[in-house]
Amino acid sequence: MQSLKLKEVHSSSLYEIKIAGLPNGTYDYEFIIDDLFFEVFKSNSLTKGLVNVGMEMNKNSGLFHTSYQFSGFIELICDNCLNKGNFPIQYQHKMIYKMSLDTENLKKNIDSDIVFIHPNAEKINIHQELFDYIHLAIPMRTTCELFSKDCSIDLNNFNEVNDKETPPYWEKLKKLKSENGTS
Ligand SMILES: [Zn+2]
């Protein structure tokens, strides 16, 4: 168990941005999402992938405007036949990090495009955020069509299931956050 713990620490530290003493300006970062990235989250559905994440960050005093660009693939499992396939991801997401002493703000950090951080924070860890954004970049329902494959189960019998309304992405993220116990 000890070795797993060390691995988690190692993996998360790859997704940190040092902000202590950083002068105002625009900075470019690059992150790689690979199989190790997913281990910390112990997700049943998302375990493999290779995604390059380019991130541009503009720092202006206590405000950090960031823009993420995802490019790569994630392995998904077909909801119907459980076959696996690589789903291509091209996705952009913007997020603002804001320094705040308001402890209520620091506790919430949900339901908004703003993440509050403590003014004394030395770094921003974006591991969890990247995981959440990947969920926003993939469809609610996974079928073999997404991998340009034929499903090994005849879908004609399952039309009623397919007619279910898809909730908006943001509802999905909120649900996800509460399931993960993020606060
Ligand atoms: Zn399938």
Side-chain angles (χ1 to χ4, degrees):
M1 290 276 61
Q2 184 68 25
S3 63
L4 180 66
K5 189 83 184 162
L6 281 173
K7 213 172 177 184
E8 286 180 12
V9 171
H10 170 70
S11 174
S12 275
S13 69
L14 294 175
Y15 305 100
E16 281 177 355
I17 298 158
K18 291 188 176 63
I19 54 169
L22 193 69
N24 287 343
T26 302
Y27 302 87
D28 285 312
Y29 300 88
E30 201 170 280
F31 304 94
I32 299 290
I33 292 175
D34 54 11
D35 298 355
L36 191 60
F37 169 92
F38 292 105
E39 278 189 22
V40 182
F41 301 105
K42 297 178 174 58
S43 161
N44 291 326
S45 53
L46 295 182
T47 57
K48 286 185 164 61
L50 191 59
V51 180
N52 181 283
V53 184
M55 188 249 228
E56 188 185 273
M57 181 177 83
N58 180 269
K59 180 194 185 248
N60 190 354
S61 302
L63 264 186
F64 303 77
H65 287 260
T66 61
S67 176
Y68 296 86
Q69 181 68 51
F70 292 72
S71 177
F73 71 86
I74 296 290
E75 184 184 272
L76 298 180
I77 303 168
C78 174
D79 291 336
N80 300 316
C81 70
L82 302 184
N83 280 339
K84 292 175 179 174
N86 287 332
F87 176 70
I89 284 196
Q90 289 291 339
Y91 181 68
Q92 198 181 33
H93 196 96
K94 290 181 193 293
M95 175 64 82
I96 297 170
Y97 297 87
K98 186 178 184 180
M99 287 182 165
S100 170
L101 271 174
D102 186 333
T103 47
E104 282 309 302
N105 277 344
L106 291 169
K107 259 188 274 174
K108 271 186 276 172
N109 266 349
I110 287 185
D111 212 16
S112 138
D113 286 330
I114 299 180
V115 172
F116 292 98
I117 50 178
H118 194 278
N120 291 341
E122 296 193 340
K123 53 204 171 192
I124 299 172
N125 191 310
I126 59 168
H127 202 162
Q128 178 69 50
E129 275 97 309
L130 292 179
F131 187 65
D132 291 344
Y133 301 160
I134 283 179
H135 282 83
L136 296 175
I138 60 178
M140 281 292 285
R141 271 185 61 77
T142 304
T143 60
C144 287
E145 265 180 27
L146 298 175
F147 327 132
S148 308
K149 285 184 190 168
D150 286 329
C151 206
S152 51
I153 290 181
D154 184 2
L155 290 180
N156 289 331
N157 300 326
F158 295 96
N159 278 343
E160 282 171 24
V161 178
N162 286 335
D163 285 340
K164 267 189 191 165
E165 197 184 329
T166 306
Y169 278 162
W170 198 247
E171 287 300 313
K172 191 183 161 196
L173 178 61
K174 275 198 292 194
K175 184 164 170 285
L176 206 151
K177 284 233 181 203
S178 60
E179 278 173 2
N180 286 342
T182 309
S183 62

